[in-house]
Amino acid sequence: MSQNNGAAQDDTASSSDHAASTDLRLLYRKLLFQTKEKRSELVRPESTGLLETLEEMNVLFSRVKNPREAVYDSNVLKLTSELGLEQADNLQTNMTVFDRCVFAEKLVTFMDGRCRGSQRDKPELDWSKLGKYAATMFNVTAKLDLIYGPLAMESIAKHRAAREKNVQRKPTEAEKKKPQQLQQEEQEESTTKEVQRVLKAIHKLTDPDQGTYKHVPFFEFITDPTSFPTTIENMFHLSFLVKDGKVKLYLDEDNTPVVKIDVHNGAVITSTPGTTRALNPSQVVVSMTIQKWKDLIEEFNITKAMIPNIKRKGK
């Protein structure tokens, strides 16, 4: 029973809202029609009908709940603003309007044009009287005129030395290439020194008299436990030696990668690494991440770098 009563109340409320909206739209249409009919009366300057229309609109707008009624309100407001503009144009301020004919008659009277001569003759106007009167309204300095004309003066020509523009000389193509060449030569020289340092480290580790390795373990050799970037650099420099055939990289009996000096080519290194190639070249891709680097240090118990780090020694 309570649900049925609630549904009945909702139906009643919706029907009452619909009736109120219909009634409100009817009132707006009626107001719009009356405003259009009274257009000529509302635009009169003394009319106050537009104010009454606006007050009625305010009363109706307080009952607006739906967009449809708001559209009716905007239409009435638009028409009211147009009528207000027309009423403002019709408003007279009773200000003095300039009349050219009246002004001309007053000038003729002021210059005694009506007092001299007969009515048939043309009036003689006293323009000097008007000029003297008008001169009092202006504060202008009198012009100076030379008695015997302008003085004969020769203009002195000034000779100005032409200034040279500070034009910057553009560098030649050879000069542009010099910094690049120097930078490239310095980079190649630095790479050559690093490659020589790696080769000397392998020589020292595999020396029959002082060395401790017959062939050096690859991962233990390149890994620097204190620096991941240095480990990458060591692997990069070692790749030049492998590419030139100075060092052999292969797997030992335990399938562990090792490096060993080539007896025939390992004694001397060229001025520019990478310019020569091994007799039987082969490519190997080795990936290295920070996590792999940490795992290598822990797996092989690396505590000291086999390749001395010159940068760390310099610090």
Side-chain angles (χ1 to χ4, degrees):
M1 291 293 291
S2 60
Q3 293 181 354
N4 295 332
N5 293 334
Q9 292 177 359
D10 293 340
D11 294 340
T12 304
S14 61
S15 60
S16 60
D17 292 341
H18 180 70
S21 300
T22 304
D23 186 24
L24 184 59
R25 288 196 294 270
L26 180 62
L27 293 175
Y28 267 119
R29 284 194 293 267
K30 183 178 179 181
L31 180 61
L32 184 63
F33 180 75
Q34 290 177 354
T35 305
K36 290 180 180 179
E37 271 193 341
K38 298 179 181 179
R39 186 185 189 100
S40 58
E41 298 178 4
L42 295 175
V43 296
R44 292 180 181 177
E46 66 277 4
S47 175
T48 58
L50 291 178
L51 293 176
E52 297 175 358
T53 304
L54 289 175
E55 291 177 358
E56 188 175 355
M57 286 175 59
N58 291 332
V59 175
L60 296 178
F61 186 73
S62 61
R63 298 167 53 186
V64 172
K65 296 181 179 179
N66 299 320
R68 193 170 181 181
E69 288 80 26
V71 172
Y72 277 104
D73 183 80
S74 63
N75 292 333
V76 179
L77 183 61
K78 180 181 179 182
L79 178 61
T80 306
S81 62
E82 293 176 356
L83 297 179
L85 181 61
E86 290 186 21
Q87 188 180 29
D89 293 337
N90 297 331
L91 181 64
Q92 295 180 359
T93 57
N94 296 324
M95 295 178 64
T96 304
V97 181
F98 178 76
D99 192 345
R100 291 175 292 179
C101 296
V102 175
F103 179 70
E105 291 177 359
K106 290 183 178 180
L107 285 178
V108 171
T109 303
F110 180 78
M111 292 185 289
D112 300 332
R114 300 184 184 278
C115 300
R116 297 179 182 180
S118 61
Q119 295 181 356
R120 296 180 181 179
D121 298 335
K122 294 183 179 179
E124 298 179 1
L125 303 179
D126 188 2
W127 289 99
S128 60
K129 184 178 180 181
L130 178 62
K132 292 178 181 179
Y133 181 78
T136 59
M137 306 299 175
F138 299 93
N139 187 13
V140 180
T141 304
K143 295 181 180 180
L144 296 177
D145 294 330
L146 299 175
I147 300 175
Y148 296 105
L151 298 176
M153 298 179 62
E154 296 181 358
S155 60
I156 302 174
K158 296 182 179 180
H159 299 283
R160 296 183 179 180
R163 296 182 179 180
E164 295 182 358
K165 295 183 179 180
N166 187 12
V167 180
Q168 296 182 354
R169 187 178 62 86
K170 295 183 179 180
T172 60
E173 294 296 330
E175 293 176 349
K176 290 181 180 179
K177 293 181 180 179
K178 281 183 179 179
Q180 299 178 359
Q181 292 176 353
L182 291 175
Q183 186 177 4
Q184 184 177 1
E185 291 176 0
E186 291 177 358
Q187 186 176 2
E188 291 178 356
E189 184 179 355
S190 176
T191 305
T192 303
K193 291 181 180 180
E194 294 295 327
V195 174
Q196 289 178 350
R197 182 172 59 86
V198 174
L199 183 61
K200 288 180 182 179
I202 299 176
H203 271 294
K204 185 177 180 181
L205 293 172
T206 58
D207 188 10
D209 298 330
Q210 300 178 359
T212 56
Y213 295 95
K214 182 179 179 182
H215 41 254
V216 184
F218 172 73
F219 291 112
E220 297 181 34
F221 178 69
I222 64 170
T223 303
D224 188 340
T226 60
S227 175
F228 174 73
T230 305
T231 302
I232 300 299
E233 291 178 359
N234 293 337
M235 187 163 54
F236 171 70
H237 296 141
L238 182 62
S239 66
F240 285 106
L241 297 174
V242 176
K243 182 180 180 182
D244 294 342
K246 309 300 180 182
V247 173
K248 292 182 179 180
L249 176 61
Y250 60 95
L251 298 177
D252 61 359
E253 296 82 1
D254 299 329
N255 289 330
T256 304
V258 293
V259 293
K260 182 180 179 181
I261 296 290
D262 192 339
V263 179
H264 302 287
N265 300 325
V268 181
I269 186 170
T270 58
S271 59
T272 303
T275 56
T276 61
R277 294 183 179 274
L279 296 177
N280 298 317
S282 59
Q283 295 182 355
V284 178
V285 179
V286 180
S287 64
M288 180 66 68
T289 61
I290 295 180
Q291 186 59 42
K292 289 183 180 180
W293 171 68
K294 293 179 181 179
D295 295 340
L296 288 174
I297 296 173
E298 184 178 356
E299 180 68 23
F300 294 102
N301 193 19
I302 302 173
T303 58
K304 185 179 179 181
M306 291 186 178
I307 303 174
N309 193 335
I310 298 177
K311 297 180 182 178
R312 188 164 60 247
K313 286 184 178 180
K315 294 181 181 180

